[in-house]
Each structure stands twice: as C-alpha cells, then as structure tokens.
C-alpha cells in the first residue's frame, strides 16, 4: 500500500515522463515538479517505489521511468477523480467544444460520423485512433504518423508490430469486443492489452450507440507514456455525448 507521499511522488514522475520522455531524477522532481522534500528523502522514496515494482532505473541514467504497474495505479486514481468531476476534465474548453460541434452535426450516415470521429480523436490525442462498429467490418484509422514520431517507436520491431496490427485492424477489434463486454471506458496498458500485436502500447477504448442502431466504438492507441488525462476524457466524452444524443 502506497503512502500519500509516495503517490504524490509517483504521480509527479509519471507526468514528467509523459511530458519529456526522459528518465526522471530526484533533482528534476525537486526543481521542475516542486516536490517539497529533501534529496535524501526523495531518493529513499524512489528506491522504495522501485523495490515495489512501480519504477525502473535504466542502466544509462540516474533517473527512473514508470512501469505498467505505476500507470495502472495512476489511471485508477484518475478514474476515481473523474467520478467526482465533469467528464471533460482533461480536455481544454476549445477541445471539448470542437468535439461537441462535430458530434452534433447531422452526418449523412454512421460511416461518415465514424470517419470524422477517428480523424478528430487523432488530431486531439496526437496518437493513433480507430473508430468503427462493434462486430462490423469497416473501421477508420488515423494518426499512424503521430506514433512514428514518438521515441518509443524508432525501432524496427515496434514499427513492424504496429504495421501488422494496422493490416488486420478489423479482425483485431472484432475479437476484442467478443472478449471485452464492458460498455464503459476500458484501458489496457502494455501486457494487459488483449490484442497481442500492440501489447507494447496502451489501448483506451469505449462504446456508444450510433444513430442507426448499431454499436460504435472509438479507441486510442499510443505509447505507455501517453497523456492519460486527456485521452481518457476524450474517449469517455465522445461515448457519453453520442449516447445522450441517441437516448
């Protein structure tokens, strides 16, 4: 069980790593993140977090990076907070207005709506987005170039893995929705990912009811070091907004 202080330190490390993609040192925590603890205490707490499986120390750095276990704790804390606050926490006012304006338009059919959702989500999240119908054969993907620029995806293996996923995206999501029955927001981090081709990535996904009666979904795929606050809010906001329109 983590103490409140350890949770604070871990959150600061995760958010700094999300921003900079560099291992986080105790000096960075004290100077950039404003963690009001002396260097010896910070190092002690970071060592404890490492021993608990929440942090890793790369061999070439004095700093630490979060593990999947750390990200899981982080999003559980975020989900708990979102239950107390408006769903658009994590999005700017301009972003939430843009999403609402897109979803409120009278689109000619569900397929056009899904295509616009995927495009919009990719532009806001800066990650890869997929939107389609549950059990259907048509899905729309945008944002491959977003991921190709991330430092995590500079190796040939990671690029090949992602390209293989893209080549078979419809069958992957058909299988996903057979296994994941939850209609709410789902987040899979790294090895938790039920789609093995992207088990080095994070997948955030949600369902909603489309105007013509089918169930739609929207998903974001990105590095473990993604902006969880924004991306979770974005998927949940879209799902709930469409459900409200079609209630």
């Amino acid at each position: 069980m983590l103490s409140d202080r350890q949770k604070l330190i871990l959150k600061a490390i995760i958010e700094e790593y999300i921003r900079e993609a560099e291992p986080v040192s105790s000096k960075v925590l004290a100077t950039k993140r404003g963690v009001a603890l002396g260097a010896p205490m910070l190092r002690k707490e970071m060592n404890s977090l490492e021993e608990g499986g929440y942090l890793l120390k790369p061999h070439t750095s004095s700093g630490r990076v979060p593990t999947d276990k750390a990200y899981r704790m982080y999003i559980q804390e975020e989900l708990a907070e979102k239950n107390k606050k408006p769903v658009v926490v994590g999005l700017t006012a301009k972003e939430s207005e843009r999403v609402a304006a897109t979803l409120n338009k009278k689109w000619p059919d569900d397929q056009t709506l899904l295509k616009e959702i995927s495009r919009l989500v990719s532009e806001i999240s800066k990650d890869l987005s997929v939107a389609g119908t549950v059990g259907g054969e048509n899905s729309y993907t945008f944002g491959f170039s977003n991921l190709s620029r991330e430092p995590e995806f500079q190796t040939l293996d990671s690029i090949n893995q992602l390209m293989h996923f893209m080549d078979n995206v419809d069958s992957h999501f058909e299988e996903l929705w057979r296994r994941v029955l939850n209609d709410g927001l789902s987040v899979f981090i790294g090895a938790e990912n039920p789609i093995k081709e992207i088990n080095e990535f994070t997948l955030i996904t949600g369902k909603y009811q489309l105007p013509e009666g089918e169930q739609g979904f929207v998903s974001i795929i990105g590095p473990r070091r993604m902006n969880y606050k924004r991306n979770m809010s974005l998927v949940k906001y879209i799902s709930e907004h469409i459900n409200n329109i079609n209630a």
Side-chain angles (χ1 to χ4, degrees), residues 13 32 68 94 102 123 151 153 172 180 230 236:
I13 290 172
K32 290 184 66 177
D68 288 359
K94 186 176 181 179
T102 298
E123 289 175 359
F153 306 129
H172 288 316
V180 182
R230 181 184 62 205
K236 192 173 181 185

Side-chain angles (χ1 to χ4, degrees), residues 71-85 182 184-187 204 228-229 232-233 236:
Y71 287 124
R72 172 53 57 190
M73 190 220 71
Y74 178 74
I75 67 166
Q76 285 172 340
E77 295 284 320
E78 288 301 314
L79 286 170
E81 283 300 307
K82 282 185 184 353
N83 290 332
K84 305 173 189 175
K85 298 176 182 177
N182 179 20
L185 182 72
S186 297
V187 183
I204 299 177
Y228 287 93
K229 286 183 180 180
M232 288 162 58
S233 291
K236 192 173 181 185

Side-chain angles (χ1 to χ4, degrees), residues 172-186:
H172 288 316
F173 275 92
E174 184 179 351
E175 174 65 20
L176 172 68
W177 292 119
R178 281 203 295 265
R179 297 172 59 185
V180 182
L181 302 179
N182 179 20
D183 283 339
L185 182 72
S186 297

Side-chain angles (χ1 to χ4, degrees), residues 107-123 125 127-134 136-144 146 165-174 177 203-206 208 210 212 214-221 238:
W107 297 102
D109 51 49
D110 284 351
Q111 296 304 310
T112 306
L113 171 61
L114 290 169
K115 188 175 182 179
E116 289 304 314
I117 287 172
S118 184
R119 188 197 312 276
L120 177 68
V121 168
S122 172
E123 289 175 359
S125 69
D127 288 314
L128 175 67
S129 69
V130 185
T133 54
V134 176
E137 296 182 353
N138 291 322
S139 60
Y140 301 94
T141 61
F142 286 90
F144 182 84
N146 291 336
F165 163 77
M166 297 279 286
D167 286 343
N168 301 278
V169 65
D170 291 328
S171 61
H172 288 316
F173 275 92
E174 184 179 351
W177 292 119
L203 167 67
I204 299 177
T205 192
Y208 44 83
L210 287 163
E212 296 174 13
E214 291 187 284
Q215 259 197 330
F217 72 87
V218 59
S219 301
I220 297 174
I221 298 160
I238 287 172

Side-chain angles (χ1 to χ4, degrees), residues 1 4 12 20 31 37 47-48 57 67 75 88 107 120 131 150 152 181 185 202 205 225 245:
M1 185 72 177
D4 289 342
E20 300 294 339
T31 56
L37 289 173
N47 286 336
S48 295
K57 185 176 182 180
T67 63
I75 67 166
V88 292
W107 297 102
L120 177 68
E150 295 286 354
E152 291 89 344
L181 302 179
L185 182 72
T202 285
T205 192
R225 185 190 49 83
I245 291 173

Side-chain angles (χ1 to χ4, degrees), residues 150-167:
E150 295 286 354
E152 291 89 344
F153 306 129
Q154 298 304 310
T155 67
L156 188 59
D157 284 346
S158 63
I159 293 171
N160 285 341
Q161 186 182 34
L162 189 58
M163 290 179 69
H164 189 271
F165 163 77
M166 297 279 286
D167 286 343

